[in-house]
Amino acid sequence: MAENTQSLVAMFDKIWPGESNPDEVNVGDYERIGSVVTGAVFFTYGLARKGLLAKILAPVGGYLLQRGLRGTCAIYQAFQINTARQGGNAKATVHANRAIKVKRAVTINKPVSELYSFWRNFENLPSIMDHLEAVTVKDKDHSHWVAKGPAGTKVEWDAEIFREKENEVIAWKSVEGSSVPNAGTVQFTDLGQERGTEVLVELDYEPPAGVIGAAFAKLFGEEPNIQVQEDLRHFKQKMEAGELPTTTGQPSARES
Amino acid sequence: MRALCWFGKEDVRVEAVPDPQILNPRDAIVKITTTAICGSDLHLYDGVIPTMEKGDILGHEFMGEIVEVGKEVHNLKVGDRVVVPFTIACGNCFFCKKGLWASCDNSNPNAWMLEKLYGYSGSGLFGYSHMMGGYAGGQAEFARVPFADIGPVKVPDGLADEQVLFLSDIFPTGYQAAENANIAAGDTVAIWGCGPVGQFAIQSAWMLGAGRVIAIDRVPERLELAATKGKAEIINSDTENVVEKLRSMTGGRGPDSCIDCVGMESTGHTPDALYDKVKMAMKLETDRPTALREVITACRKGGTVSIPGVYGGLLDKFPMGAAFGKGLIFKMGQTNMHNYLKPLMDRIEKGEIDPSFVITHRLGLEDAPAAYKTFRDKQDGCIKVVLKPHEVTA
C-alpha cells in the first residue's frame, strides 16, 4: 500500500513540468493523491459545464490539481503547516506542527491506585471512551487499538508504553507507521485531605486526514478537547458511580 | 403505559408510551401510586425552560411501589413502598459526600449543556428538560429511578401516600429554604409566595424557631391557608405596598430573613413588573425577578435572603447595589433532597406535621392537562394537584 502511494507520488513529481524542490514539498502523500483526484474532477466538471458553480469549480480544481502534482500548498505555507515532513520528533511519530494537542483534567473521588489500575488495563477503556471500539493488550508494553474514525470509518494502530511509574504516570506512543500517529500521557495525583485524585491527560495526535480532518471533526461535534473531556467525565462516572448515567432507551412520546 | 407528555407551550397530553426498562445496574422501576404537579412544572408548561423536546414525560414528585430492581440495588426489593426525591444523585462524588446532593457530578448525562450555560452542571432531575438530564418524569404509570439505592426512601406502614408524597420535593424544598434563611430564635421571617413551597417554608420557619412569620401573596385562598394552617401574618401584595407594610410591621427595621418562594415567573403591578413581562415576551430576558427585587429591598441590613424559587437564566435590573449596601447574605439552589427525606419522614410519623393540608385537587392522570391550566391560572382555588395514575376517574 505504502509502496503504491510512493510510486504514484513519484509519478506526480514527473508529470509536473520544471524543477521541483523537495524542500518545498509541504503536502503529505495521501493528501497529494486526494488533491489530484478532487482537482481533476472539479477541473473537468468546471470546463464542461456552464453556470456559476462551474465558474468557481474550474479554478479551484486547477489549483488542487497543481497542489497535488507539485506537493506544495500556498495556504499551508502561509499558515506554516506541513503534512509531508517525516520523523524528527523525539516524543513519538507525531509531527508537532500538524498534531492536535489536547490537555484535560478531571478530579475523581477515588484513591490513585484504583484509578491507575483501571486505566492501566487498556482493555477497560472502550467502556468509558465512546470513540474507541476495542483495545487488545498484546504484552506488557504493547497493545492494538481500534477507534471510530470520521464519517463511519475505522482507524487502527499499535501502541507501546514508553514510560510508566505505578500510580503516577503512563506514557504511550503509537508505533512507527501508524495511520493515526499519537502519543500521550496520563498522570495521577493524589490531592490529599480527601480531595480525591486529579487525572491529567495530555494527548498529541495527527488526525487521519491531516489538519483538514480535524476541522471536519469539529463540524461534526467531535472536537478533540470535548471528546477527551467527555471521556474523562465517563471515567469519573464509572469509577465514582459505578455506571454511566444514561437516558438511552427510556420512554417518551417520540417513539413511533 | 400512559404518561403526561410535553409538546410545547401550554400543550401537554396524556399519551401511550413504552414502559420504562432497567438501563443501569443501580436503576429501579417504580409503579407510581401517587404523583403531583409542581409549581416548577408550570415553567415548563409556560415554555420558559430551554432544552425541552416534544414527547418528554413530565413530573418530578412521585411515589409508588418497587416493581423491579437493577442488580446493584440491594436495599430495596419488589413490593417496597417508596417516595422518590426529585434530584438524582450518585452518592459517591465529592458533592454527594458533602451533602450537596443537588450538585451531584455524575447524574446528568447532558452535563455539557449546563456547563455551557452555568460553568458547571448540577445533578440530573426527573422530567425537567434535557439540560437537567432529560430523564423521563413521574406523571406516568411507571418510572425508572436511577441510583435507586441512594434516592428512594421506604415509607413506614400506616402512613398514607398523601402524607408522604411531598417528601419528593416541596416539603424538603420549603424546609431547606427555611434552613438557608439562617433563622435565629425569635427572628421575623417574611415569605414571598404562598404556593405549596411557601406553605412548607412557613411551617419549617416555625420548626426552626422563628418568632414571627409574615406571608405575602396575591391569591386570597393561599393567603388564607397561610393564615389558618400556617399561623402566619399575611400581606396581600395586590392591595398593599409590601416593602412599606413590612417596614411598619417590623418597627422600621425590616424582616431578619426573607424567602423568595416565587421564582422566575413572578408578577406584579409595579412598573418594573410590566417591564419584565414585555422583555420576557420579546425573549430579551429569561426570568422575571419582580418578587426577588422586593425581597432584596425589604430585607433588613445584614439579613438573609433565601431563594428556593426557581431561576433559569439571566435577570434584568437586579438590585445589586441594595444587596451590597445592606450587606445581605444570599443562599439558594435546588434542594439537597437526600438530606431531608428521612428526618422529615420522622416528623410526619411522629405527627408533627401532615403535609397533605396543601392538597386541593385529587385527579386521575387523564385530567392532568386540564389541571395544568387550572393550576397555572390559579382557578378553582387550586393550590396543589395530586394525580392517581392507576385509578380511573369518573
Side-chain angles (χ1 to χ4, degrees), chain B residues 332-351:
Chain B
M332 63 193 85
Q334 294 286 9
T335 311
N336 296 308
M337 290 296 297
H338 302 53
N339 292 336
Y340 302 105
L341 264 83
K342 280 178 186 143
L344 296 182
M345 180 84 82
D346 287 347
R347 284 184 186 265
I348 296 169
E349 209 179 359
K350 284 185 203 148

Side-chain angles (χ1 to χ4, degrees), chain B residues 188-199:
Chain B
T188 298
V189 181
I191 296 172
W192 277 253
C194 298
V197 169
Q199 300 291 341

Side-chain angles (χ1 to χ4, degrees), chain A residues 89-138:
Chain A
N89 194 318
K91 195 170 184 184
T93 44
V94 183
H95 305 101
N97 52 3
R98 62 169 145 143
I100 290 183
K101 292 173 194 302
V102 180
K103 186 175 176 180
R104 289 276 154 173
V106 69
T107 302
I108 303 181
N109 209 17
K110 285 279 170 185
V112 172
S113 56
E114 213 173 304
L115 303 181
Y116 181 91
S117 64
F118 182 92
W119 193 293
R120 181 61 181 83
N121 181 4
F122 296 135
E123 294 186 359
N124 283 329
L125 296 182
S127 71
I128 54 164
M129 298 182 177
D130 280 344
H131 60 287
L132 280 183
E133 272 194 13
V135 180
T136 316
V137 172
K138 297 200 288 196

Side-chain angles (χ1 to χ4, degrees), chain A residues 107 109-110 194-196 226 229-230 233-234 236-255, chain B residues 5 7 17-18 20 23-26 53-57 90 92-94 97 105-106 109 111-112 115 133-136 144 147:
Chain A
T107 302
N109 209 17
K110 285 279 170 185
E194 297 181 354
R195 292 189 156 268
I226 292 178
Q229 184 175 310
E230 289 304 308
R233 192 200 303 284
H234 290 161
K236 176 184 167 72
Q237 289 165 342
K238 181 86 180 170
M239 301 311 294
E240 289 182 347
E243 60 189 39
L244 310 190
T246 185
T247 55
T248 306
Q250 73 173 9
S252 78
R254 282 184 292 277
E255 280 98 345
Chain B
C5 302
F7 284 90
V17 301
L23 301 176
N24 261 336
R26 295 174 65 188
E53 286 176 22
K54 283 187 168 63
D56 285 346
I57 300 171
C90 80
N92 298 331
C93 68
F94 176 81
K97 292 285 186 203
D105 260 344
N106 296 322
W112 61 273
E115 283 172 357
Y135 288 103
R144 164 190 166 240
F147 303 125

Side-chain angles (χ1 to χ4, degrees), chain B residues 238-257:
Chain B
D238 248 2
T239 56
E240 302 204 67
N241 179 320
V242 176
V243 176
E244 281 310 311
K245 180 80 179 177
L246 282 170
R247 181 197 298 278
S248 66
M249 287 170 81
T250 56
R253 181 187 280 172
D256 301 294
S257 300

Side-chain angles (χ1 to χ4, degrees), chain A residues 24-29 31-32 35 67 71-73 76 82-84:
Chain A
E24 283 176 9
V25 172
N26 63 0
V27 182
D29 291 351
E31 240 184 299
R32 284 180 69 175
S35 235
R67 175 184 186 267
T72 62
C73 174
Y76 276 13
N82 188 323
T83 58

